[in-house]
Amino acid sequence: MRKILIIGAGKSTSSLIKYLQDKSDTNNLSLIIADKSIDNAKKFAGKNQYTKAIALDIFNTEERQEAIKNADIVISMLPARFHVEVAKDCVHFSKNMVTASYVSDEMQALDADVKAKNLVFMNEIGVDPGIDHMSAMQVIDRIRDKGGKMLLFESFTGGLVAPESDTNLWNYKFTWNPRNVVVAGQGGAAEFIQEGKYKYIPYHRLFRRTEFLEIDGFGRFEGLANRNSLKYRSVYGLEGIQTLYRGTLRRIGFSKAWNMFVQLGMTDDTYTLEDSENMSYRDFVNAFLPYSPTDSVELKTRMNLKIDQDDLMWDKLVELDLFNPNKKIGIKNATPAQALQKILEEKWTLEPHDKDMIVMYHKFGYELNGEKKQIDATLGLIGEDQTYTAMAKTVGIPVGIAALKILNKEITMPGVLRPIHKEIYTPILKELEDYGIIFKEKETEYLGYNKHTVVG
């Protein structure tokens, strides 16, 4: 049996494990699910005859190396910051490796050693990054192969609650790591290029600069800029492009409401709150407002944010129970961002019957034979349930496909890789269609950077 070691049994591993279990018999596979919690590993392993669970503390060098040494390929589903220790062991023991995470500087530094051992280290093979790379490069390469010149590339991805489970005024629930949502956009201005002009959006303006767009069958969304779009010029070979913009999708109105937290300072993660453990939700809000001997916290909030009493923005705040004097933050030395996350998780956690949704939108503008053209490509996928979510499916299945193709020597390109090469993305995208992960493409009139869609 060929052993596949999966390190880390988080939410996104459900579809990955099911995919590999379904292939175990025909591909002679034995799966080892390794997690710090043996109970968690056992839960994901189930009673499948080809799967076993083991306890593994990745900070225990001996345990980690023993598991990696005995595997034929290693899939790391750990938080991104922990991949590099696993990667070094994979180089040492000459094991191929797959992760869904961005290529870090530390991972990239291993490229020469990985190539010297003729190993494949596939990264960025989830949904975003991953499916976004593959679906974009497929169209970009097709345009280039025809002799076309790329003028514009915009790309947006969103992990959201499915329409049938959308039951709050924010049209949002946590379908992924809540912390990443709360601190999104911090740490530097968003950078991109539009019509040849470099553009920057500082954090305090980020949530008021959004684009509206439509995804067939899924409705309207707003896109807000990711931190750095410009690095994709070199990744996608788009050095001369006039417009390059990557962003995140939310339902329309989310960003305007979220901006209230940004303006008050509630998303800050750089300092801790005094006695946060005993702080009530109401005290938390009041901590960011001026002192008044007469005005209520509600009145001060409305005045500071300039919210009318009949404004939907006010209803959104009230819905979160922000002004409750009895509910406690309950976290020692919490930053504002951690306290806000605690409050939001109470209201935005998916219910057992809820479903999530992944939406993706690419816009390609190009010139061919002197004529400007445009292709729009969209993807929408709704999860099955709380185990096989759309997020788990779009992260886990591409990881599983890549791992199996590397194991079967169908993908052999050595090095620290992203799935941006034809010989990698073509067979993976083809197989993803079997799982309902299919892009709809349509050719439209070339609009360039469509200024009338901008708000803020």
Side-chain angles (χ1 to χ4, degrees), residues 62-319:
E62 190 177 330
E63 267 185 29
R64 187 184 69 237
Q65 291 186 343
E66 184 66 20
I68 291 170
K69 182 173 65 175
N70 291 319
D72 290 294
I73 188 169
V74 177
I75 299 173
S76 178
M77 299 299 283
L78 295 163
R81 61 189 182 278
F82 299 138
H83 290 321
V84 73
E85 293 307 317
V86 174
K88 287 174 182 174
D89 288 341
C90 286
V91 171
H92 180 72
F93 293 112
S94 297
K95 306 295 180 182
N96 294 319
M97 179 177 174
V98 180
T99 86
S101 301
Y102 286 105
V103 175
S104 65
D105 292 341
E106 294 85 355
M107 185 71 80
Q108 188 61 49
L110 297 173
D111 186 55
D113 293 336
V114 172
K115 284 176 177 168
K117 290 207 167 187
N118 204 35
L119 297 172
V120 182
F121 275 26
M122 182 66 70
N123 302 270
E124 304 191 13
I125 185 69
V127 57
D128 177 5
I131 291 173
D132 58 341
H133 289 332
M134 296 187 287
S135 53
M137 286 307 301
Q138 185 177 52
V139 176
I140 291 168
D141 283 339
R142 194 194 312 147
I143 289 167
R144 286 175 180 148
D145 290 347
K146 290 179 182 174
K149 177 190 175 187
M150 286 294 297
L151 302 173
L152 172 150
F153 176 59
E154 292 189 1
S155 177
F156 301 88
T157 305
L160 296 157
V161 63
E164 60 261 47
S165 303
D166 186 348
T167 56
N168 65 47
L169 292 173
W170 293 74
N171 307 119
Y172 187 80
K173 293 179 185 178
F174 291 125
T175 61
W176 199 233
N177 188 340
R179 176 173 167 77
N180 290 352
V181 175
V182 174
V183 300
Q186 298 183 39
E191 302 176 40
F192 50 99
I193 185 169
Q194 284 174 326
E195 301 295 346
K197 305 288 186 187
Y198 287 94
K199 296 290 182 182
Y200 306 90
I201 308 178
Y203 177 65
H204 74 279
R205 292 289 300 150
L206 184 63
F207 295 93
R208 294 311 300 128
R209 293 269 294 276
T210 56
E211 291 194 25
F212 290 176
L213 50 94
E214 186 94 22
I215 295 181
D216 287 346
F218 292 87
R220 296 184 81 208
F221 298 87
E222 59 186 23
L224 56 144
N226 287 352
R227 272 246 311 273
N228 188 353
S229 298
L230 300 180
K231 65 182 179 183
Y232 288 89
R233 282 189 297 194
S234 57
V235 171
Y236 291 174
L238 297 173
E239 279 80 3
I241 200 159
Q242 289 292 293
T243 297
L244 180 59
Y245 184 104
R246 280 174 54 93
T248 299
L249 292 177
R250 293 287 182 260
R251 286 294 186 186
I252 291 173
F254 177 89
S255 298
K256 182 179 180 182
W258 186 264
N259 193 54
M260 295 189 287
F261 297 143
V262 175
Q263 298 310 314
L264 286 174
M266 291 178 175
T267 61
D268 198 309
D269 201 43
T270 61
Y271 67 92
T272 58
L273 299 162
E274 194 68 32
D275 195 27
S276 58
E277 191 174 13
N278 298 307
M279 179 181 270
S280 72
Y281 289 11
R282 187 180 187 84
D283 290 338
F284 173 66
V285 177
N286 198 26
F288 298 96
L289 300 169
Y291 173 78
S292 169
T294 55
D295 294 343
S296 68
V297 177
E298 289 87 347
L299 181 60
K300 289 193 294 182
T301 303
R302 285 211 306 271
M303 288 172 63
N304 273 267
L305 294 174
K306 298 179 173 60
I307 306 172
D308 291 330
Q309 199 166 350
D310 58 355
D311 192 327
L312 182 61
M313 293 296 113
W314 181 248
D315 293 333
K316 289 183 179 185
L317 293 179
V318 171
E319 184 182 73

Side-chain angles (χ1 to χ4, degrees), residues 2 4 19-20 23 27 29 73 96 98 120 122 125 134 397-413 423-432 434:
R2 300 180 298 168
I4 299 179
Y19 171 84
L20 292 172
K23 303 283 184 181
N27 285 270
L29 304 179
I73 188 169
N96 294 319
V98 180
V120 182
M122 182 66 70
I125 185 69
M134 296 187 287
I397 293 178
V399 168
I401 293 172
L404 195 52
K405 290 193 180 301
I406 293 165
L407 194 59
N408 290 338
K409 297 188 165 41
E410 294 172 48
I411 293 175
T412 56
M413 181 184 289
E423 57 266 46
I424 295 170
Y425 67 67
T426 302
I428 294 177
L429 284 173
K430 182 71 182 150
E431 189 169 343
L432 283 174
D434 297 338

Side-chain angles (χ1 to χ4, degrees), residues 146-149 151 366-373 446:
K146 290 179 182 174
K149 177 190 175 187
L151 302 173
Y366 64 102
E367 189 171 340
L368 180 63
N369 300 327
E371 188 181 349
K372 290 182 178 178
K373 299 171 176 282
Y446 178 73

